[in-house]
Amino acid sequence: MPVPAHLPSRQVPPAAAPSSGPPGPVVQSWALVDCNNFYASCERLFRPDLRGKPIVVLSNNDGCIISRSDEAKALGVEMGAPAFKVRRELARLGVHVFSSNYALYGDLSSRVMRTLGTLVPEVEVYSIDEAFLPLRGPLAADPVAVGRALRERVTRWTGIPISVGIAPTRTLAKIAGRVAKRTPRCEGVFDLARSREVLGMSVDDLLGSLPVDAVWGVGRRLAGMLRGAGIATARSLRDAGDDWVR
């Protein structure tokens, strides 16, 4: 897709890193960029014959499954499954198994982050496969166009597929990213402000449909405690009283 007029089209040198940029105007939206099935996507780059085929990547010393392609997920392969317990089943299902290669993943992560910086000058790297991008001024005028441009450029320059979630805060951007990744009609980019237009439901209804552990930072133990207190959805957590939450 063509790059919107207000976005730069130049390519940075391979060694260049994204600039943190000046503070500039107030952040109007946050974009959360998440590399899809990152380790599996990295391995597939060098095995184009495996496009459309199930792939898993194992942890150090081939201990357990730490990354799955969409095809492997569709077969019911579980994240975190011990390799020694599922090897036979993986072979029966025709799943291709890779040992982890963190040097490769680190290099491709750097390439992805540098590529993001060619379109959005501020890149907050959150993890090896995620980054927050503050959208200010002209970049906030059409955040979906920015998200699509990011997605197209990262895929074209690095071969790694990404999803982009857009929202007023980082926490909501994480939720938007979850929707972008799991909802085919979003085509990899979802702006929470367009929830009714894209999903046919309000933001409140969307948050009400998501389990509380879909909220960034709410793990299994905390989610259990919250459910025990009657807070089972992202919306009910948002609406809980400040005193109670503290």
Side-chain angles (χ1 to χ4, degrees):
M1 62 169 288
V3 176
H6 57 279
L7 297 178
S9 59
R10 63 181 178 81
Q11 183 171 2
V12 296
S19 167
S20 60
V26 173
V27 176
Q28 294 164 272
S29 294
W30 286 92
L32 182 277
V33 172
D34 187 359
C35 299
N36 300 343
N37 312 320
F38 182 54
Y39 296 166
S41 294
C42 290
E43 296 294 349
R44 185 175 272 165
L45 269 182
F46 298 93
R47 289 289 306 275
D49 58 305
L50 296 183
R51 284 180 188 162
K53 296 181 180 179
I55 292 173
V56 298
V57 176
L58 305 180
S59 61
N60 288 334
N61 301 316
D62 291 350
C64 61
I65 294 171
I66 57 172
S67 183
R68 304 164 296 163
S69 67
D70 288 337
E71 297 80 9
K73 293 176 186 178
L75 290 172
V77 176
E78 294 185 4
M79 189 72 155
F84 77 93
K85 287 187 176 181
V86 297
R87 277 194 186 277
R88 231 175 244 185
E89 181 67 5
L90 294 177
R92 185 185 73 80
L93 294 171
V95 177
H96 298 264
V97 180
F98 290 85
S99 299
S100 51
N101 183 346
Y102 295 109
L104 170 66
Y105 310 151
D107 177 68
L108 286 168
S109 173
S110 295
R111 295 186 189 191
V112 169
M113 301 308 170
R114 290 199 301 267
T115 301
L116 297 176
T118 66
L119 290 174
V120 179
E122 297 176 75
V123 177
E124 295 184 6
V125 178
Y126 174 62
S127 67
I128 193 170
D129 62 349
E130 291 180 284
F132 289 103
L133 282 59
L135 304 181
R136 312 173 188 268
L139 289 173
D142 189 349
V144 172
V146 174
R148 287 175 178 156
L150 289 167
R151 183 171 157 83
E152 189 276 336
R153 183 170 291 189
V154 169
T155 301
R156 180 157 50 89
W157 287 12
T158 71
I160 300 297
I162 65 171
S163 298
V164 184
I166 301 157
T169 69
R170 292 179 182 88
T171 299
L172 289 173
K174 288 279 281 186
I175 286 177
R178 172 191 173 107
V179 175
K181 184 176 287 190
R182 299 185 180 198
T183 310
R185 77 184 76 169
C186 293
E187 298 182 336
V189 179
F190 178 64
D191 182 355
L192 194 65
R194 298 176 60 181
S195 180
R196 190 175 295 280
E197 175 188 345
V198 176
L199 303 178
M201 65 174 69
S202 67
V203 173
D204 281 354
D205 289 342
L206 172 61
L207 295 178
S209 72
L210 295 173
V212 70
D213 55 7
V215 177
W216 184 25
V218 177
R220 183 179 302 174
R221 182 177 299 178
L222 179 55
M225 184 190 78
L226 290 169
R227 290 190 188 101
I231 298 176
T233 68
R235 179 178 180 177
S236 57
L237 178 60
R238 182 203 64 184
D239 294 342
D242 291 347
D243 292 341
W244 190 93
V245 171
R246 288 195 190 98

